[in-house]
């Protein structure tokens, strides 16, 4: 480009040829949340920095190094949202949505994290997510897992994505466990990598999340959080598992699955595929009963998940699971001044009668030959043709572009019936 201007690193344009995939997954989310009675909430992409620091935690990857933060002209520190759970909590508190009632909400939109860009990891990406408030579970925890299981089935990915499940119990139980973990790793300090040494004091559970292969033997031998759970927490976890089994959801209990955030309680899970390399987590979720009160609200349970839309689309494309949509149904060509005037009128009448079909007008004139070339390139199924003859006889001609069929000359009413019969739209 002449000025050398480029899209920001780690961000990208979604081009017209990619948009069918996005529309497809977006319509899948909408039908999914609709069938579970969740309501949409739309929130700004900018929030006060303090919100994320408080909710996500100072010693997480996101807050430590991934946030896009800047000083606004008014002197306020603002951050592009790296995720939406924190802001959903802010929004429900600020708008009194959880006073004496529960809520089931969903959102969809761009998130921003300053990570190293690679396959499945971008600096602007999209999440589809749900959050439910003031419901104790584990029924609603199971409901949200069933939702995603339904989505995988709907799009044909149920054999490719597996569920890993764990319980983090209560904050107090985790505190006892945390101490045991610190003791364990401290006696093996020399075997820790740099990241883990740093985390030992700040966030030792996150060591279990390490992707470093050299750390794996040490992690495998470490104490297990499940052994530190009390009766109530174990009951929650056991009930969740029976609900899932009753609904024929297969899962694996992974005792080393921690999501590294202080606010999680009880349920945590990830939907994982082996097909996206190390970016294999497509969707992650869990319960956060301490977050609302931590953010200054009344003690209120919360549970939700967030799905990475780019990772889902990549999986669908790799497996050729995006249904093909022709972008255009009918390409309208006309030769002669009168015909060019008339074809616009006819196309408007067809759009009135057939609002679900798309009509692409050949603007800019040209010979029939060059217009038919464009019609072919457009991918349209049919060409609508107006020439001198048609104008004189008040008819229009229709030519099939993708199949063998004799050209037809019809009046308007017949043409409407013809398109109705020959073009099916979902
Ligand atoms: P990871 O371990 O891959 O960094 P995470 O724990 O940071 O994931 P969450 O904050 O739980 O991810 O976000 C939920 C989902 O959002 C992830 O499972 C993933 O599908 C998607 N996601 C997170 N970060 C990115 C990113 N930078 N680019 C694309 N998708 C992302
Ligand atoms: Mg991350």
């Amino acid at each position: 480009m002449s000025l050398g201007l480029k899209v920001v690193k780690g961000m990208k344009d979604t081009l017209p040829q990619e948009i069918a995939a996005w529309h497809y997954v977006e319509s899948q989310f909408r039908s999914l949340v609709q069938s579970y009675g969740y309501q949409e909430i739309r929130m700004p992409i900018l929030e006060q920095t303090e919100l994320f620091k408080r909710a996500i935690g100072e010693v997480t990857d996101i807050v430590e190094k991934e946030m896009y933060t800047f000083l606004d002209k008014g002197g306020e520190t603002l951050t592009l949202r790296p995720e939406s759970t924190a802001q959903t909590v802010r929004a429900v508190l600020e708008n009194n949505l959880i006073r004496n009632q529960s809520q089931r909400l969903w959102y969809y939109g761009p998130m921003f994290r300053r990570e190293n860009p690679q396959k499945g990891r971008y600096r602007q990406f999209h999440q589809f997510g749900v959050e439910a408030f003031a419901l104790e579970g584990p029924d609603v925890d199971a409901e949200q897992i069933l939702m995603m299981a339904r989505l995988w089935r709907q799009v044909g990915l149920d054999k490719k994505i597996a569920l890993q499940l764990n319980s983090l119990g209560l904050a107090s139980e985790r505190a006892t466990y945390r101490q045991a973990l610190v003791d364990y790793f401290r006696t093996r300090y020399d075997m820790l990598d740099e990241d883990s040494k740093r985390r030992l004091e700040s966030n030792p559970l996150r060591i279990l999340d390490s992707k470093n292969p050299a750390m794996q033997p040490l992690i495998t031998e470490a104490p297990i959080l499940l052994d530190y759970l009390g009766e109530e927490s174990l009951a929650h976890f056991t009930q969740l598992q029976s609900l899932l089994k009753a609904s024929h959801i297969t899962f694996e209990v992974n005792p080393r699955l921690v999501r590294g955030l202080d606010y999680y309680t009880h349920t945590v899970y990830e939907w994982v595929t082996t097909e996206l390399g190390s970016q294999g987590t497509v969707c992650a979720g869990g319960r956060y009963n301490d977050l609302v009160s931590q953010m200054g609200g009344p003690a209120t349970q919360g549970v939700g998940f967030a799905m990475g839309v780019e990772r889902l689309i990549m999986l669908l494309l790799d497996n050729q699971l995006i249904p093909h949509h022709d972008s255009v149904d009918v390409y309208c060509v006309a030769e002669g001044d009168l015909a060019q005037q008339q074809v616009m009128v006819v196309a408007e009448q067809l759009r009135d009668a057939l609002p679900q079909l798309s009509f692409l007008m050949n603007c800019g004139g040209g010979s029939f030959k060059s217009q038919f070339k464009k019609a072919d390139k457009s991918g349209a199924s049919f060409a609508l043709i107006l020439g001198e003859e048609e104008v004189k006889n008040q008819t229009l001609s229709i030519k099939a572009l993708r199949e063998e069929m004799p050209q037809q000359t019809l009046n308007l009413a017949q043409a409407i019936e013809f398109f109705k019969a020959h073009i099916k739209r979902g």
Side-chain angles (χ1 to χ4, degrees):
M1 198 195 289
S2 54
L3 289 176
L5 293 172
K6 290 206 171 106
V7 72
V8 175
K9 183 177 175 191
M11 306 194 176
K12 47 182 197 168
D13 304 308
T14 304
L15 301 177
Q17 66 262 31
E18 300 164 317
I19 216 73
W22 286 83
H23 287 172
Y24 173 66
V25 298
E26 287 160 6
S27 74
Q28 294 292 320
F29 306 151
R30 279 175 217 285
S31 81
L32 185 72
V33 290
Q34 193 273 332
S35 58
Y36 287 82
Y38 280 60
Q39 290 183 298
E40 184 175 11
I41 182 164
R42 296 186 187 183
M43 296 164 292
I45 56 171
L46 274 180
E47 294 277 355
Q48 294 174 307
T49 304
E50 192 57 24
L51 172 70
F52 302 113
K53 284 195 179 170
R54 284 254 198 130
I56 301 172
E58 300 266 6
V59 287
T60 54
D61 284 353
I62 293 180
V63 174
E64 272 182 346
K65 51 188 187 199
E66 296 173 359
M67 295 205 302
Y68 281 97
T69 295
F70 66 96
L71 198 59
D72 190 25
K73 282 190 182 131
E76 201 176 12
T77 306
L78 301 179
T79 294
L80 283 173
R81 63 180 185 191
E83 57 102 55
S84 270
T85 304
Q87 65 171 177
T88 309
V89 171
R90 182 211 35 82
V92 297
L93 285 175
E94 190 171 345
N95 298 291
N96 273 323
L97 298 187
I98 46 173
R99 197 160 54 193
N100 304 323
Q101 58 180 333
S102 62
Q103 286 287 350
R104 285 172 161 99
L105 304 172
W106 71 277
Y107 61 80
Y108 165 59
M111 306 294 159
F112 304 84
R113 298 185 194 176
R114 202 172 187 291
E115 306 203 62
N116 270 339
Q118 50 190 295
K119 186 180 177 198
R121 197 175 289 284
Y122 313 101
R123 292 183 171 184
Q124 176 174 336
F125 62 99
H126 295 74
Q127 285 184 336
F128 157 74
V130 307
E131 312 288 353
F133 293 96
L135 295 166
E136 199 171 6
D139 46 7
V140 64
D141 311 36
E143 169 180 279
Q144 294 181 353
I145 289 173
L146 287 172
M147 266 174 110
M148 287 313 287
R150 176 175 297 278
L151 182 73
W152 310 140
R153 282 200 306 279
Q154 274 178 18
V155 300
L157 283 175
D158 47 321
K159 302 281 187 300
K160 308 263 175 184
I161 300 179
L163 176 62
Q164 300 215 342
L165 190 64
N166 195 18
S167 170
L168 298 185
L170 299 170
S172 55
E173 292 156 358
R174 222 162 42 249
T176 318
Y177 171 68
R178 181 191 156 109
Q179 193 51 54
L181 204 59
V182 170
D183 293 345
Y184 169 84
F185 283 123
R186 207 172 266 149
T187 58
R188 293 156 183 85
Y189 191 78
D190 291 343
M191 297 157 78
L192 297 179
D193 62 9
E194 284 312 308
D195 249 5
S196 304
K197 280 181 180 156
R198 201 165 44 84
R199 288 189 169 134
L200 185 57
E201 302 305 327
S202 58
N203 196 352
L205 267 68
R206 200 66 211 241
I207 299 178
L208 302 178
D209 217 19
S210 166
K211 308 261 184 327
N212 182 356
M215 288 286 299
Q216 295 315 308
L218 204 58
I219 289 170
T220 314
E221 294 296 313
I224 283 175
L225 177 48
L226 285 177
D227 294 335
Y228 290 78
L229 297 190
E231 223 171 281
E232 200 192 315
S233 296
L234 281 174
H236 193 279
F237 193 37
T238 317
Q239 282 164 23
L240 172 60
Q241 293 180 57
S242 1
L243 288 167
L244 295 178
K245 280 178 192 151
S247 297
H248 307 291
I249 300 290
T250 42
F251 58 88
E252 185 194 335
V253 173
N254 175 357
R256 282 176 195 84
L257 180 70
V258 291
R259 309 233 55 250
L261 303 183
D262 288 345
Y263 61 64
Y264 275 113
T265 52
H266 300 298
T267 315
V268 287
Y269 61 88
E270 290 189 356
W271 290 97
V272 188
T273 172
T274 50
E275 296 195 2
L276 294 175
S278 53
Q279 271 61 253
T281 304
V282 187
C283 175
R287 176 165 283 281
Y288 47 88
N289 289 351
D290 294 339
L291 183 58
V292 178
S293 56
Q294 198 179 303
M295 299 305 290
T300 307
Q301 304 95 336
V303 62
F305 63 70
M307 190 195 62
V309 180
E310 281 79 1
R311 293 189 193 174
L312 172 62
I313 288 181
M314 221 184 291
L315 266 181
L316 291 170
L317 289 173
D318 288 352
N319 288 285
Q320 300 187 323
L321 288 170
I322 306 283
H324 182 71
H325 280 295
D326 276 327
S327 45
V328 181
D329 296 309
V330 181
Y331 193 95
C332 309
V333 303
E335 203 178 49
D337 288 345
L338 218 54
Q340 277 180 16
Q341 193 179 311
Q342 193 56 28
V343 74
M344 294 205 102
V345 177
V346 170
E348 284 301 295
Q349 289 168 326
L350 289 168
R351 290 184 184 112
D352 287 342
L354 303 163
Q356 70 280 19
L357 300 194
S358 58
F359 296 87
L360 188 67
M361 187 63 63
N362 178 83
C363 290
S367 66
F368 265 138
K369 195 171 168 215
S370 75
Q371 292 188 46
F372 273 115
K373 260 195 196 149
K374 291 193 220 161
D376 194 45
K377 214 175 150 201
S378 76
S381 309
F382 294 95
L384 174 77
I385 309 157
L386 257 81
E388 263 173 44
E389 277 298 298
E390 284 85 358
V391 171
K392 199 169 70 195
N393 302 329
Q394 298 204 351
T395 55
L396 33 100
S397 296
I398 296 170
K399 182 177 159 69
L401 299 174
R402 314 285 153 201
E403 53 186 311
E404 287 300 325
M405 191 191 281
Q407 184 166 318
Q408 323 248 337
T409 298
L410 307 169
N411 66 28
L412 182 68
Q414 290 167 330
I416 291 170
E417 288 313 310
F418 175 91
F419 287 135
K420 255 191 212 163
H422 288 88
I423 307 177
K424 297 275 177 265
R425 278 270 155 172

